[in-house]
Amino acid sequence: MPAETNRTGLAQTALDAYLRAEGADRRSEGGVPTCEIVDLITDLLLLAQQRGCDPASVVRKAEKHVLAETGRGY
């Protein structure tokens, strides 16, 4: 299993690609910066649903993986 720092590096690469594809480095809503990570996760959950997965189940599994891989809560 890759080290946590390697995993977060992969996540940053995915987020950077998402932002480039979206055409924005930093967006804001009403002058308040949005959280691009939430936007990416939302779009991934929509994709999961489109592919027949239950988004809530995906979130629960991801949370279990975070807890198992880090050995701590957030």
Side-chain angles (χ1 to χ4, degrees), residues 27-74:
R27 295 176 305 147
S28 64
E29 294 175 7
V32 178
T34 61
C35 182
E36 294 91 354
I37 293 172
V38 172
D39 291 343
L40 175 56
I41 291 170
T42 300
D43 289 350
L44 287 169
L45 291 173
L46 289 169
L47 177 62
Q49 184 176 35
Q50 197 175 64
R51 292 184 173 189
C53 298
D54 173 42
S57 175
V58 171
V59 170
R60 283 191 299 274
K61 286 180 184 178
E63 183 177 31
K64 286 179 183 179
H65 285 221
V66 168
L67 293 174
E69 292 178 20
T70 63
R72 60 185 185 269
Y74 6 96

Side-chain angles (χ1 to χ4, degrees), residues 7-31:
R7 300 284 300 270
T8 57
L10 292 172
Q12 184 64 57
T13 299
L15 182 60
D16 292 344
Y18 176 77
L19 292 172
R20 277 192 306 277
E22 190 181 53
D25 288 324
R26 188 83 172 141
R27 295 176 305 147
S28 64
E29 294 175 7

